[in-house]
Amino acid sequence: MDYKAFIEEQVNELKETVGDATAINALSGGVDSSVVTVLAHRALGRQLKTYFIDSALMRQGEPQRVVDMFAKMGIPVGLVDAKAEFLAALKGLTDPEEKRHAVTDTFYARVFGRLVKETDATFLLHGTILTDIEETVAGIKRQHNILEQLGIDPKEAYGYAVLEPLKTLRKDGVREVARVLNLPPDITERIPFPGPALAARIVGEVTEERLKTVRSATAIVEEELGNSGAFQYLAVLLNDKATGIRDGKRQFGEIVVVRCIESTDARTATVTELPWTKLHRLCERITQIDGVNRCLYDLTPKPPATVEYI
Ligand code: XMP
């Protein structure tokens, strides 16, 4: 495929479709939304309003890191603090689907919907890719970013029309486009990260304190396994506790699971055979996190497990 031609085509089409109107998009820092942002910025310049929504569910330092990265490319990104709103929506929820629904709903119907109205945007850009559409149609995944495929008319539901410039590409195609667009390796080679963010890695209630724990564990896992070449690696906080010993006293502490997998498309996955020294190091560092006294390595392939825990 001629990716240069693809870029040119999409830029022209966006220009034509949006005309003098305002378009809006949410940037997560993942490869899909990053490519959409760069394409749309080329096509629309100041008519594009890009926002990073801080949902309180992102990784350590992630919101500012993404905003700074785009500022370096000359693309302004508004940082929206919606932490309190997301935490309030998740309060008391333990059911995985209810938690996912709360995140999706807060994102689109509340925070993003409000931004759309404030900016007078009539076009919403989305990083939907071909695989998202296929998996949603097949009923494998309830991808939150393809409202239309789910039979929800976004114009009717939230007052805007959706443009999906990447909907003919798969992930490898998007990464190729990202490279041609000269996006930094931080983006082009980034491991997958789920839409519900760290909420997908907390079994049970999502609270500020529990987010802090899983965020610290995630930072350690990403640091230790960044060179592993694995497809994806993550940390999960369980809803159970276990007895341990801390400073010579019994402590009923948190349990963190480390997951590291090999896969090509995340539809199936096998577990990475990490060296014991690496596993010990992970355990040592993770059990230094406040309140955590156990660290487990998940040996389950997909299927029967999924990659994420909710
Ligand atoms: P599961 O847990 O379904 O994950 O085996 C498969 C792959 O998809 C990612 N994932 C998501 N990505 N929105 C996304 O954009 C989501 O809601 C979502 N849930 C899971 C997961 O990280 C893995 O790479």
PDB file of all heavy atoms in Angstrom, residues 100 141-144 192-196 201 231-232 266 302 305-310, ligand 1:
ATOM      1  N   ARG A 100     -17.075  -0.635  32.942  1.00  0.00           N
ATOM      2  CA  ARG A 100     -16.768  -0.230  31.566  1.00  0.00           C
ATOM      3  C   ARG A 100     -17.800   0.775  31.064  1.00  0.00           C
ATOM      4  O   ARG A 100     -17.457   1.771  30.427  1.00  0.00           O
ATOM      5  CB  ARG A 100     -16.762  -1.454  30.648  1.00  0.00           C
ATOM      6  CG  ARG A 100     -15.449  -2.204  30.687  1.00  0.00           C
ATOM      7  CD  ARG A 100     -15.480  -3.441  29.815  1.00  0.00           C
ATOM      8  NE  ARG A 100     -14.145  -3.996  29.711  1.00  0.00           N
ATOM      9  CZ  ARG A 100     -13.279  -3.708  28.750  1.00  0.00           C
ATOM     10  NH1 ARG A 100     -13.630  -2.917  27.755  1.00  0.00           N
ATOM     11  NH2 ARG A 100     -12.070  -4.219  28.738  1.00  0.00           N
ATOM     12  N   LYS A 141     -16.204  -7.989  20.663  1.00  0.00           N
ATOM     13  CA  LYS A 141     -15.818  -6.875  21.513  1.00  0.00           C
ATOM     14  C   LYS A 141     -16.863  -5.776  21.480  1.00  0.00           C
ATOM     15  O   LYS A 141     -17.460  -5.512  20.442  1.00  0.00           O
ATOM     16  CB  LYS A 141     -14.492  -6.322  20.993  1.00  0.00           C
ATOM     17  CG  LYS A 141     -13.749  -5.488  21.996  1.00  0.00           C
ATOM     18  CD  LYS A 141     -12.471  -4.968  21.415  1.00  0.00           C
ATOM     19  CE  LYS A 141     -11.303  -5.902  21.620  1.00  0.00           C
ATOM     20  NZ  LYS A 141     -10.069  -5.397  21.040  1.00  0.00           N
ATOM     21  N   ARG A 142     -17.071  -5.161  22.608  1.00  0.00           N
ATOM     22  CA  ARG A 142     -17.925  -3.990  22.628  1.00  0.00           C
ATOM     23  C   ARG A 142     -16.990  -2.786  22.642  1.00  0.00           C
ATOM     24  O   ARG A 142     -16.680  -2.235  23.681  1.00  0.00           O
ATOM     25  CB  ARG A 142     -18.801  -3.998  23.886  1.00  0.00           C
ATOM     26  CG  ARG A 142     -19.813  -2.880  23.905  1.00  0.00           C
ATOM     27  CD  ARG A 142     -20.648  -2.937  25.184  1.00  0.00           C
ATOM     28  NE  ARG A 142     -21.423  -1.720  25.313  1.00  0.00           N
ATOM     29  CZ  ARG A 142     -20.938  -0.592  25.827  1.00  0.00           C
ATOM     30  NH1 ARG A 142     -19.705  -0.522  26.264  1.00  0.00           N
ATOM     31  NH2 ARG A 142     -21.706   0.480  25.895  1.00  0.00           N
ATOM     32  N   GLN A 143     -16.487  -2.449  21.443  1.00  0.00           N
ATOM     33  CA  GLN A 143     -15.552  -1.336  21.321  1.00  0.00           C
ATOM     34  C   GLN A 143     -16.300  -0.030  21.552  1.00  0.00           C
ATOM     35  O   GLN A 143     -17.238   0.272  20.834  1.00  0.00           O
ATOM     36  CB  GLN A 143     -14.929  -1.329  19.923  1.00  0.00           C
ATOM     37  CG  GLN A 143     -13.735  -2.234  19.792  1.00  0.00           C
ATOM     38  CD  GLN A 143     -12.498  -1.653  20.438  1.00  0.00           C
ATOM     39  OE1 GLN A 143     -12.446  -0.465  20.748  1.00  0.00           O
ATOM     40  NE2 GLN A 143     -11.527  -2.490  20.676  1.00  0.00           N
ATOM     41  N   HIS A 144     -15.857   0.748  22.519  1.00  0.00           N
ATOM     42  CA  HIS A 144     -16.619   1.948  22.842  1.00  0.00           C
ATOM     43  C   HIS A 144     -16.511   3.021  21.774  1.00  0.00           C
ATOM     44  O   HIS A 144     -17.280   3.948  21.753  1.00  0.00           O
ATOM     45  CB  HIS A 144     -16.206   2.500  24.197  1.00  0.00           C
ATOM     46  CG  HIS A 144     -14.838   3.097  24.205  1.00  0.00           C
ATOM     47  ND1 HIS A 144     -13.783   2.487  24.807  1.00  0.00           N
ATOM     48  CD2 HIS A 144     -14.370   4.230  23.670  1.00  0.00           C
ATOM     49  CE1 HIS A 144     -12.723   3.238  24.648  1.00  0.00           C
ATOM     50  NE2 HIS A 144     -13.034   4.287  23.953  1.00  0.00           N
ATOM     51  N   PRO A 192      -0.256  -1.995  23.341  1.00  0.00           N
ATOM     52  CA  PRO A 192      -1.693  -1.679  23.474  1.00  0.00           C
ATOM     53  C   PRO A 192      -2.045  -1.278  24.916  1.00  0.00           C
ATOM     54  O   PRO A 192      -1.436  -1.757  25.867  1.00  0.00           O
ATOM     55  CB  PRO A 192      -2.381  -3.000  23.121  1.00  0.00           C
ATOM     56  CG  PRO A 192      -1.365  -3.833  22.432  1.00  0.00           C
ATOM     57  CD  PRO A 192      -0.032  -3.391  22.933  1.00  0.00           C
ATOM     58  N   PHE A 193      -3.006  -0.391  25.000  1.00  0.00           N
ATOM     59  CA  PHE A 193      -3.513   0.039  26.315  1.00  0.00           C
ATOM     60  C   PHE A 193      -5.027   0.192  26.163  1.00  0.00           C
ATOM     61  O   PHE A 193      -5.483   0.828  25.212  1.00  0.00           O
ATOM     62  CB  PHE A 193      -2.858   1.367  26.716  1.00  0.00           C
ATOM     63  CG  PHE A 193      -3.142   1.784  28.134  1.00  0.00           C
ATOM     64  CD1 PHE A 193      -2.715   1.001  29.199  1.00  0.00           C
ATOM     65  CD2 PHE A 193      -3.840   2.948  28.408  1.00  0.00           C
ATOM     66  CE1 PHE A 193      -2.976   1.378  30.514  1.00  0.00           C
ATOM     67  CE2 PHE A 193      -4.101   3.344  29.724  1.00  0.00           C
ATOM     68  CZ  PHE A 193      -3.661   2.552  30.776  1.00  0.00           C
ATOM     69  N   PRO A 194      -5.807  -0.408  27.049  1.00  0.00           N
ATOM     70  CA  PRO A 194      -7.258  -0.446  26.820  1.00  0.00           C
ATOM     71  C   PRO A 194      -7.955   0.892  27.033  1.00  0.00           C
ATOM     72  O   PRO A 194      -7.472   1.738  27.787  1.00  0.00           O
ATOM     73  CB  PRO A 194      -7.740  -1.454  27.863  1.00  0.00           C
ATOM     74  CG  PRO A 194      -6.721  -1.377  28.951  1.00  0.00           C
ATOM     75  CD  PRO A 194      -5.411  -1.083  28.284  1.00  0.00           C
ATOM     76  N   GLY A 195      -9.094   1.058  26.355  1.00  0.00           N
ATOM     77  CA  GLY A 195      -9.890   2.276  26.488  1.00  0.00           C
ATOM     78  C   GLY A 195     -10.245   2.613  27.938  1.00  0.00           C
ATOM     79  O   GLY A 195     -10.064   3.754  28.374  1.00  0.00           O
ATOM     80  N   PRO A 196     -10.737   1.631  28.708  1.00  0.00           N
ATOM     81  CA  PRO A 196     -11.081   1.939  30.098  1.00  0.00           C
ATOM     82  C   PRO A 196      -9.844   2.136  30.986  1.00  0.00           C
ATOM     83  O   PRO A 196      -9.947   2.285  32.197  1.00  0.00           O
ATOM     84  CB  PRO A 196     -11.875   0.710  30.555  1.00  0.00           C
ATOM     85  CG  PRO A 196     -12.233  -0.028  29.317  1.00  0.00           C
ATOM     86  CD  PRO A 196     -11.170   0.273  28.320  1.00  0.00           C
ATOM     87  N   ARG A 201      -7.827  -2.791  34.966  1.00  0.00           N
ATOM     88  CA  ARG A 201      -6.791  -3.540  35.686  1.00  0.00           C
ATOM     89  C   ARG A 201      -6.971  -3.477  37.189  1.00  0.00           C
ATOM     90  O   ARG A 201      -6.042  -3.690  37.959  1.00  0.00           O
ATOM     91  CB  ARG A 201      -5.424  -3.018  35.270  1.00  0.00           C
ATOM     92  CG  ARG A 201      -5.234  -3.290  33.790  1.00  0.00           C
ATOM     93  CD  ARG A 201      -4.043  -2.665  33.223  1.00  0.00           C
ATOM     94  NE  ARG A 201      -3.976  -2.957  31.786  1.00  0.00           N
ATOM     95  CZ  ARG A 201      -3.032  -2.517  31.000  1.00  0.00           C
ATOM     96  NH1 ARG A 201      -2.067  -1.779  31.485  1.00  0.00           N
ATOM     97  NH2 ARG A 201      -3.054  -2.825  29.716  1.00  0.00           N
ATOM     98  N   PHE A 231       4.473  -8.621  23.466  1.00  0.00           N
ATOM     99  CA  PHE A 231       3.376  -7.896  22.815  1.00  0.00           C
ATOM    100  C   PHE A 231       2.738  -6.898  23.778  1.00  0.00           C
ATOM    101  O   PHE A 231       2.412  -5.776  23.414  1.00  0.00           O
ATOM    102  CB  PHE A 231       2.337  -8.911  22.330  1.00  0.00           C
ATOM    103  CG  PHE A 231       1.115  -8.293  21.716  1.00  0.00           C
ATOM    104  CD1 PHE A 231       1.116  -7.881  20.392  1.00  0.00           C
ATOM    105  CD2 PHE A 231      -0.056  -8.128  22.465  1.00  0.00           C
ATOM    106  CE1 PHE A 231      -0.023  -7.322  19.825  1.00  0.00           C
ATOM    107  CE2 PHE A 231      -1.188  -7.562  21.907  1.00  0.00           C
ATOM    108  CZ  PHE A 231      -1.167  -7.156  20.585  1.00  0.00           C
ATOM    109  N   GLN A 232       2.556  -7.333  25.029  1.00  0.00           N
ATOM    110  CA  GLN A 232       1.899  -6.469  26.020  1.00  0.00           C
ATOM    111  C   GLN A 232       2.270  -6.930  27.421  1.00  0.00           C
ATOM    112  O   GLN A 232       2.443  -8.124  27.667  1.00  0.00           O
ATOM    113  CB  GLN A 232       0.378  -6.550  25.831  1.00  0.00           C
ATOM    114  CG  GLN A 232      -0.396  -5.431  26.487  1.00  0.00           C
ATOM    115  CD  GLN A 232      -1.875  -5.430  26.110  1.00  0.00           C
ATOM    116  OE1 GLN A 232      -2.310  -6.249  25.302  1.00  0.00           O
ATOM    117  NE2 GLN A 232      -2.645  -4.538  26.681  1.00  0.00           N
ATOM    118  N   ALA A 266      -3.806  -9.907  19.628  1.00  0.00           N
ATOM    119  CA  ALA A 266      -4.513  -9.931  20.919  1.00  0.00           C
ATOM    120  C   ALA A 266      -5.762 -10.813  20.921  1.00  0.00           C
ATOM    121  O   ALA A 266      -6.445 -10.916  21.933  1.00  0.00           O
ATOM    122  CB  ALA A 266      -4.856  -8.528  21.409  1.00  0.00           C
ATOM    123  N   LYS A 302      -4.592 -16.847  26.477  1.00  0.00           N
ATOM    124  CA  LYS A 302      -5.916 -16.434  25.998  1.00  0.00           C
ATOM    125  C   LYS A 302      -6.244 -17.271  24.758  1.00  0.00           C
ATOM    126  O   LYS A 302      -5.484 -17.191  23.790  1.00  0.00           O
ATOM    127  CB  LYS A 302      -5.912 -14.961  25.630  1.00  0.00           C
ATOM    128  CG  LYS A 302      -7.240 -14.516  24.994  1.00  0.00           C
ATOM    129  CD  LYS A 302      -7.228 -13.059  24.586  1.00  0.00           C
ATOM    130  CE  LYS A 302      -8.545 -12.700  23.904  1.00  0.00           C
ATOM    131  NZ  LYS A 302      -8.652 -11.280  23.567  1.00  0.00           N
ATOM    132  N   ALA A 305      -8.273 -17.256  29.351  1.00  0.00           N
ATOM    133  CA  ALA A 305      -8.310 -15.927  29.970  1.00  0.00           C
ATOM    134  C   ALA A 305      -8.409 -14.864  28.881  1.00  0.00           C
ATOM    135  O   ALA A 305      -8.204 -15.158  27.701  1.00  0.00           O
ATOM    136  CB  ALA A 305      -7.049 -15.702  30.788  1.00  0.00           C
ATOM    137  N   THR A 306      -8.729 -13.646  29.241  1.00  0.00           N
ATOM    138  CA  THR A 306      -8.565 -12.518  28.342  1.00  0.00           C
ATOM    139  C   THR A 306      -7.257 -11.827  28.749  1.00  0.00           C
ATOM    140  O   THR A 306      -6.615 -12.244  29.708  1.00  0.00           O
ATOM    141  CB  THR A 306      -9.736 -11.518  28.451  1.00  0.00           C
ATOM    142  OG1 THR A 306      -9.886 -11.154  29.821  1.00  0.00           O
ATOM    143  CG2 THR A 306     -11.027 -12.123  27.920  1.00  0.00           C
ATOM    144  N   VAL A 307      -6.885 -10.799  28.025  1.00  0.00           N
ATOM    145  CA  VAL A 307      -5.661 -10.079  28.385  1.00  0.00           C
ATOM    146  C   VAL A 307      -5.914  -9.255  29.637  1.00  0.00           C
ATOM    147  O   VAL A 307      -5.196  -9.356  30.629  1.00  0.00           O
ATOM    148  CB  VAL A 307      -5.196  -9.171  27.224  1.00  0.00           C
ATOM    149  CG1 VAL A 307      -3.987  -8.343  27.658  1.00  0.00           C
ATOM    150  CG2 VAL A 307      -4.879 -10.002  25.988  1.00  0.00           C
ATOM    151  N   GLU A 308      -6.952  -8.439  29.595  1.00  0.00           N
ATOM    152  CA  GLU A 308      -7.285  -7.579  30.741  1.00  0.00           C
ATOM    153  C   GLU A 308      -8.103  -8.378  31.762  1.00  0.00           C
ATOM    154  O   GLU A 308      -8.563  -9.480  31.477  1.00  0.00           O
ATOM    155  CB  GLU A 308      -8.072  -6.358  30.256  1.00  0.00           C
ATOM    156  CG  GLU A 308      -7.383  -5.568  29.129  1.00  0.00           C
ATOM    157  CD  GLU A 308      -6.118  -4.849  29.568  1.00  0.00           C
ATOM    158  OE1 GLU A 308      -5.909  -4.701  30.791  1.00  0.00           O
ATOM    159  OE2 GLU A 308      -5.344  -4.434  28.694  1.00  0.00           O
ATOM    160  N   TYR A 309      -8.335  -7.780  32.922  1.00  0.00           N
ATOM    161  CA  TYR A 309      -9.038  -8.505  33.995  1.00  0.00           C
ATOM    162  C   TYR A 309     -10.497  -8.120  34.159  1.00  0.00           C
ATOM    163  O   TYR A 309     -11.212  -8.713  34.939  1.00  0.00           O
ATOM    164  CB  TYR A 309      -8.287  -8.321  35.319  1.00  0.00           C
ATOM    165  CG  TYR A 309      -7.256  -9.406  35.566  1.00  0.00           C
ATOM    166  CD1 TYR A 309      -6.280  -9.699  34.592  1.00  0.00           C
ATOM    167  CD2 TYR A 309      -7.233 -10.134  36.744  1.00  0.00           C
ATOM    168  CE1 TYR A 309      -5.347 -10.689  34.804  1.00  0.00           C
ATOM    169  CE2 TYR A 309      -6.300 -11.122  36.961  1.00  0.00           C
ATOM    170  CZ  TYR A 309      -5.350 -11.404  35.991  1.00  0.00           C
ATOM    171  OH  TYR A 309      -4.412 -12.372  36.214  1.00  0.00           O
ATOM    172  N   ILE A 310     -10.928  -7.076  33.481  1.00  0.00           N
ATOM    173  CA  ILE A 310     -12.362  -6.773  33.534  1.00  0.00           C
ATOM    174  C   ILE A 310     -12.877  -6.579  32.114  1.00  0.00           C
ATOM    175  O   ILE A 310     -12.108  -6.323  31.207  1.00  0.00           O
ATOM    176  CB  ILE A 310     -12.751  -5.553  34.396  1.00  0.00           C
ATOM    177  CG1 ILE A 310     -12.401  -4.232  33.714  1.00  0.00           C
ATOM    178  CG2 ILE A 310     -12.136  -5.635  35.780  1.00  0.00           C
ATOM    179  CD1 ILE A 310     -13.322  -3.110  34.137  1.00  0.00           C
TER     180      ILE A 310
HETATM  181  P1  XMP B   1      -8.929  -8.663  26.086  1.00  0.00           P
HETATM  182  O1  XMP B   1      -8.862  -8.275  27.533  1.00  0.00           O
HETATM  183  O2  XMP B   1     -10.293  -8.529  25.480  1.00  0.00           O
HETATM  184  O3  XMP B   1      -8.010  -7.615  25.316  1.00  0.00           O
HETATM  185  O4  XMP B   1      -8.309 -10.012  25.807  1.00  0.00           O
HETATM  186  C1  XMP B   1      -7.566  -7.752  23.986  1.00  0.00           C
HETATM  187  C2  XMP B   1      -6.749  -6.522  23.632  1.00  0.00           C
HETATM  188  O5  XMP B   1      -7.588  -5.376  23.579  1.00  0.00           O
HETATM  189  C3  XMP B   1      -7.211  -4.436  24.580  1.00  0.00           C
HETATM  190  N1  XMP B   1      -8.487  -3.962  25.168  1.00  0.00           N
HETATM  191  C4  XMP B   1      -9.103  -2.826  24.781  1.00  0.00           C
HETATM  192  N2  XMP B   1      -8.767  -1.903  23.891  1.00  0.00           N
HETATM  193  N3  XMP B   1     -10.728  -0.700  24.405  1.00  0.00           N
HETATM  194  C5  XMP B   1      -9.571  -0.817  23.707  1.00  0.00           C
HETATM  195  O6  XMP B   1      -9.262   0.054  22.909  1.00  0.00           O
HETATM  196  C6  XMP B   1     -11.170  -1.611  25.312  1.00  0.00           C
HETATM  197  O7  XMP B   1     -12.206  -1.470  25.920  1.00  0.00           O
HETATM  198  C7  XMP B   1     -10.289  -2.729  25.508  1.00  0.00           C
HETATM  199  N4  XMP B   1     -10.370  -3.824  26.306  1.00  0.00           N
HETATM  200  C8  XMP B   1      -9.253  -4.558  26.072  1.00  0.00           C
HETATM  201  C9  XMP B   1      -6.336  -5.181  25.560  1.00  0.00           C
HETATM  202  O8  XMP B   1      -5.409  -4.330  26.197  1.00  0.00           O
HETATM  203  C10 XMP B   1      -5.673  -6.185  24.661  1.00  0.00           C
HETATM  204  O9  XMP B   1      -4.562  -5.652  23.975  1.00  0.00           O
END
